Each structure stands twice: as structure tokens, then as C-alpha cells.
Amino acid sequence: MTFRGTVRDARPHRFRRGIRLHPAQAVVVGFAAAVTVGTLLLWLPPMTVEPGGTDFVDALFTSVSAVCVTGLTVVDTQLHWSPLGHVVIMLLIQLGGLGIMIFASLIGLVLARKMSVRSRLNTAAEAKAVGYDDVRGLVRGIVLISFAIEGLTWMFLFPRFLFGYDYSPADAAWHALFHSVSSFNNAGFALYSNNMMDFVDDPFICLPMSVAIILGGLGFPVIMQLRKEFSRPLHWAMNTKLVLWGTLVLLAAGTAYLAIAEWGNPGTFGPLPPGAKLLAAFFMSTQTRTAGFNSIDVGQMHDESWVVMDVLMFIGGGPAGTAGGIKVTTFAVLFFILLTEFRGEGAVNIFGKRLSRAVHRQAITVALVAVGAVMTAIILLMHLTKLDLDLVAFEAVSAFATVGLSTGITGDLPPSAEIILVLLMFLGRIGPLTLGSAIALRDRRILYELPKERPAIG
């Protein structure tokens, strides 16, 4: 896409009719509004199995977890929420996965068949589009891709639930739909008290869900380019190449490590036959792409496995998709910057292209803000809960990276600790750069440069 607007078009303006939000501010406000509506809905008595409704903080936590497609839960999803509550959670997952601005643009297209320049800017900001001249096509493409992948996943899961587990046709269709939506949107919500542990050795459940998770984690720009130019890899953008290579390497490395580390663990892979162990290792490695399902008891895994999963979760998936973390591209850019410094070269070159210095700053900013947010949360959580560092660190990274994996401590946290995780999930879904841009009232352009000086480093 080409950028046909001007710099002035992208700046917030004040009109007599009210205040126009910066695109980044609109994204944050949109997600906050969705979280608010979801909280109020889940707070209603009909949303729970037991009469009287749910606690407000629990409703807020579940709403944020669903809208931010995380999957952390403080109540039993199967037993606590009513069928109506499950429907609301699924809709919040779909809304959060598609993106608030994209969903709003879709409604505008359906009702008015047109989009304002402001709507295009907001949508492009959330979808990480380079320009906004073809945002209508972008919105349609994202919606069609989402529904197509969810539909295909449903087609694999439905007959398995129907014939393999003797569900009624209605139950099989509902369970297939819920887990298809939760998988593609990397949400990690399941309709079972033990998540997906009953299906640990079932490739007909685990593999379709894994494929949907991986596709959702690639990001919409990558999927849309692959759809158009799959057979012409030379035309792929740097973003597409970085995401594909990064995803492949991290998935393979995670699968290999978890298989080796947990192979004989009696609490996880130990009792399984070899084929099921490899399937479980691949499934759990896939979850660190920020999905959050678990087919084994995460709380029984070795400490060193938690550390490796912390790293994989923190990296996350591709940008402008349903995954969280600092993103594969950010990690790859930092790696190539490091490699360039070790080589003593002046410019960072990736796949035959020179990397913009602005991208250097963005990658470093995202990584440092992420580290700062996670470390601050870990310190606060340790003061509030008195839990061990490894447990708290896993929970904090999982929340920030919008993963949803847990060692089992989420439901026992005090309300104050839940609020910290809520803030982490929101920050992780919105992204440090988007949130920072939204907080800033205007872009500051300095028209002068100060003299250079180099402090000692290292």
C-alpha cells in the first residue's frame, strides 16, 4: 500500500464539534470501552451458574483476559460461567482478536459502505498498515481471513467432538466453534476445568488448534502477503521473512527443549507414549506463541522449563495479529543489531535490505518498556503474595505477553494482585509504543540538533 496522506493528516485536530483523538489514543480508548462493556455484562447474574452473579474484580479480570486474548482465569470457566456467559466470553475474544478499530470499521462499511479519513487512520494504526488508502480492502481481508481460518478449524474439530467423544451434534458444534475462535485469536480459553489436558494424546484436536494458533500468531500482514504472493518469496517483505523464520526457529527450538526436559517427568510427559510426548511438546511450544492452552499440568513442569517458556512467551508472535509479547520482529531486529555491533559494521542489514535507524529505536524502546513493566509487576506481586520468584515471574510474563499459561496460582491471588495482572494484560495487548503514543498529547518535532558526544559504554 502507498501512503497518499500528508503528515498533517495523521495529527490530532480539535474541531468545534469536539476533540479528535490521535489514532493511537483511539485504539486505547476502543479497547478500554470494550473491556468496560464486557465487565458490566459478565457482572450480571445470568452470566454465572450460581445465583447472585460474580465479583466485580473477577468480572473485570475475565473481561480484560478475553478482550486482550490472554486466557488467564481467576474462576473455573466451565463451572462458574453459564452458557450465556460463555457466549459473551467468545464474543469478547473475537472482538479483541479482530481489533476494536477494525471491528468498528467493519460496522461502518456494512451500514454506510464508506469510511472517513479518521476511521482509516484509526484502523491503519491498529493493523500496523503503512498507509491508509486501501483500508477498506484491509478490513475486508482481515475479517475474511479470520472467519475462514476459524471455519476450517471448526470443520476439523466438529466431527472429532461428535464421533470421537460422543457429543450431541449441538454440543459438538458449540465446543468446536468456541475452541476454534479461542485458538485463532490466541486466547487460550477452554470450556473444560482442566483446559485441554483430556486431549493431550489426541492429534485430531491438538493439531488443528495448533495450526490455527500459529496462523493467528503470524499477524494479518504476513497472512495477507502469503495469500497473494505465496509462490514468490523474493517479493516478500522483510516483516514477512522475519516473522516466518522467527516463528519456525522458535517453534522448533521450544518443541525440542520441552521434549528433552520433560520427557521423563512423571507429572507431565512421563506417563505418555513417545508419540504423545512429541505431540504434547509441540502443542505446549505452540502455546508459548501467546495462545495459553495447556495439555499438561504446567504447575508440574520443571523450573528450567518455566524459564525457557518465559523467554518464548516474552518474545511472542508476529505484529498486527492476535499474538502478544514484544513480537518476533522486535526480537529479530535486536538480534541483528547485536550481530552488527559484534562484527563492527556501520549499518544493520537484513535479507539484503538496510534497516532504518528509527526501527532500532523502536525495538529498543519496546524491549526496555516491556522489561520494565514485567520487572515492576514481579516486584509488586512478590510483595502482595509472598510467592516464590519463579511462580510470580511466570505469571507476570504470561500476563504481559497475553499468553494465559499459568502454574495454577491465578485463582488464589488477592484482588490487588489481579489488578496488576489486568494492567499488564492491557499494556501487553495494546503495545508499549501504541500506549505511549496515546498518552502523548502531540508529536514533538525538534527543529534543531545538539552537539554530539559519546559516553563510555560497557
Side-chain angles (χ1 to χ4, degrees):
M1 289 180 288
T2 57
F3 188 83
R4 294 181 182 172
T6 64
V7 174
R8 182 171 298 178
D9 292 331
R11 293 179 180 175
H13 292 285
R14 294 176 183 265
F15 289 92
R16 292 181 180 177
R17 285 184 284 181
I19 298 176
R20 297 286 185 171
L21 295 176
H22 187 285
Q25 291 175 321
V27 172
V28 175
V29 170
F31 270 89
V35 165
T36 302
V37 173
T39 301
L40 295 176
L41 287 175
L42 293 175
W43 198 27
L44 297 175
M47 299 299 168
T48 58
V49 174
E50 298 294 331
T54 192
D55 180 77
F56 181 80
V57 175
D58 291 344
L60 171 65
F61 191 99
T62 304
S63 177
V64 172
S65 186
V67 172
C68 297
V69 290
T70 304
L72 285 175
T73 57
V74 289
V75 295
D76 190 315
T77 303
Q78 179 184 14
L79 302 179
H80 183 81
W81 302 107
S82 66
L84 184 58
H86 291 153
V87 171
V88 170
I89 290 173
M90 186 189 71
L91 293 177
L92 291 175
I93 291 171
Q94 187 72 81
L95 180 63
L98 277 176
I100 307 301
M101 294 301 108
I102 294 171
F103 184 80
S105 297
L106 174 65
I107 298 299
L109 285 175
V110 171
L111 296 180
R113 296 186 178 276
K114 63 181 180 179
M115 294 173 63
S116 67
V117 173
R118 177 61 51 181
S119 296
R120 296 186 185 190
L121 283 169
N122 294 340
T123 305
E126 185 167 1
K128 302 294 189 296
V130 203
Y132 58 88
D133 57 315
D134 192 31
V135 170
R136 290 195 297 180
L138 174 70
V139 170
R140 292 193 184 99
I142 288 175
V143 173
L144 288 176
I145 287 171
S146 299
F147 290 165
I149 295 176
E150 291 170 358
L152 288 173
T153 308
W154 182 91
M155 292 174 62
F156 280 99
L157 295 181
F158 171 69
R160 186 57 179 169
F161 283 128
L162 181 64
F163 301 113
Y165 296 92
D166 297 326
Y167 285 20
S168 68
D171 285 342
W174 166 241
H175 280 248
L177 176 62
F178 187 94
H179 293 97
S180 297
V181 172
S182 187
S183 295
F184 176 72
N185 290 289
N186 280 229
F189 277 91
L191 295 176
Y192 312 102
S193 297
N194 60 357
N195 208 272
M196 304 303 294
M197 290 175 62
D198 291 340
F199 309 99
V200 61
D201 58 349
D202 190 342
F204 299 101
I205 296 292
C206 292
L207 291 182
M209 291 177 63
S210 296
V211 172
I213 290 165
I214 293 169
L215 290 176
L218 292 179
F220 294 115
V222 173
I223 298 176
M224 295 179 76
Q225 181 164 50
L226 290 178
R227 185 183 65 171
K228 295 179 180 179
E229 300 179 308
F230 181 79
S231 60
R232 299 192 295 174
L234 293 178
H235 292 79
W236 292 352
M238 182 189 295
N239 179 75
T240 299
K241 295 177 182 178
L242 287 176
V243 170
L244 290 178
W245 276 109
T247 300
L248 180 62
V249 170
L250 294 174
L251 272 176
T255 301
Y257 182 87
L258 292 178
I260 295 171
E262 299 293 328
W263 192 270
N265 186 345
T268 56
F269 294 179
L272 301 174
K277 291 180 180 180
L278 293 176
L279 176 63
F282 174 72
F283 187 77
M284 292 306 298
S285 178
T286 302
Q287 304 319 306
T288 62
R289 313 312 303 144
T290 81
F293 294 105
N294 62 283
S295 60
I296 50 112
D297 188 349
V298 177
Q300 297 297 317
M301 298 180 76
H302 294 310
D303 292 355
E304 53 269 29
S305 296
W306 288 346
V307 174
V308 171
M309 293 174 73
D310 283 342
V311 174
L312 295 174
M313 291 190 298
F314 188 75
I315 295 172
T322 59
I326 64 170
K327 304 299 187 292
V328 172
T329 46
T330 303
F331 179 76
V333 166
L334 293 174
F335 171 78
F336 280 105
I337 291 175
L338 184 66
L339 191 63
T340 301
E341 287 297 319
F342 283 156
R343 291 176 174 175
E345 299 173 356
V348 179
N349 300 313
I350 306 177
F351 299 124
K353 298 288 182 66
R354 181 168 57 87
L355 196 66
S356 167
R357 291 194 178 275
V359 178
H360 300 196
R361 297 193 298 271
Q362 291 173 351
I364 294 171
T365 300
V366 168
L368 289 179
V369 170
V371 170
V374 171
M375 292 303 299
T376 301
I378 289 174
I379 294 171
L380 293 175
L381 288 172
M382 291 185 70
H383 279 292
L384 293 171
T385 64
K386 307 303 180 184
L387 293 171
D388 293 338
L389 173 61
D390 50 358
L391 296 174
V392 171
F394 193 93
E395 202 79 7
V397 173
S398 181
F400 173 80
T402 67
V403 179
L405 289 172
S406 175
T407 57
I409 67 173
T410 315
D412 299 325
L413 296 175
S416 55
E418 290 182 25
I419 295 299
I420 291 174
L421 293 182
V422 163
L423 296 175
L424 271 181
M425 288 188 287
F426 192 81
L427 174 62
R429 181 58 180 141
I430 299 299
L433 275 182
T434 302
L435 188 58
S437 300
I439 293 173
L441 295 178
R442 61 186 179 88
D443 294 331
R444 296 184 60 191
R445 295 181 178 274
I446 299 176
L447 302 179
Y448 59 88
E449 290 187 357
L450 297 174
K452 290 183 178 179
E453 187 173 349
R454 297 184 60 177
I457 300 296

